Amino acid sequence: MNEKEKLEKRISGLGKEAERQIEEKRAASKAFMESEAKVKAARAKERADRRLKEDRLKKEFFKRR
């Protein structure tokens, strides 16, 4: 194997490693975005539940008056 072939093989190996790292970063980014979406959805649900509870309490309060 001559010097040129060695370099080409090394370069292709580096390219594969870079692709693998990019894929790992994409997967991590996707997982992070999905977890962020879940957190936002949970917070929105908590707000909605709190509003419903407050509305019920207000309704009950004004019924008694």
Side-chain angles (χ1 to χ4, degrees):
M1 192 180 282
N2 64 25
E3 194 66 29
K4 184 179 177 184
E5 290 173 339
K6 286 181 185 177
L7 284 174
E8 287 174 352
K9 187 172 184 179
R10 184 171 174 210
I11 289 171
S12 71
L14 291 175
K16 289 177 185 174
E17 177 65 18
E19 286 178 20
R20 186 187 64 75
Q21 289 177 355
I22 289 169
E23 280 303 314
E24 284 180 359
K25 286 180 183 179
R26 280 189 187 141
S29 177
K30 183 178 178 185
F32 176 76
M33 295 299 246
E34 289 173 353
S35 68
E36 282 291 302
K38 287 179 184 177
V39 168
K40 286 181 181 179
R43 287 181 183 154
K45 185 180 181 328
E46 288 173 3
R47 282 193 306 271
D49 289 346
R50 193 173 356 160
R51 284 189 198 120
L52 282 173
K53 185 177 178 181
E54 289 172 357
D55 288 348
R56 284 190 208 120
L57 290 172
K58 285 178 186 175
K59 218 180 218 182
E60 192 66 33
F61 176 76
F62 286 114
K63 269 186 185 177
R64 293 182 182 180
R65 290 189 108 202

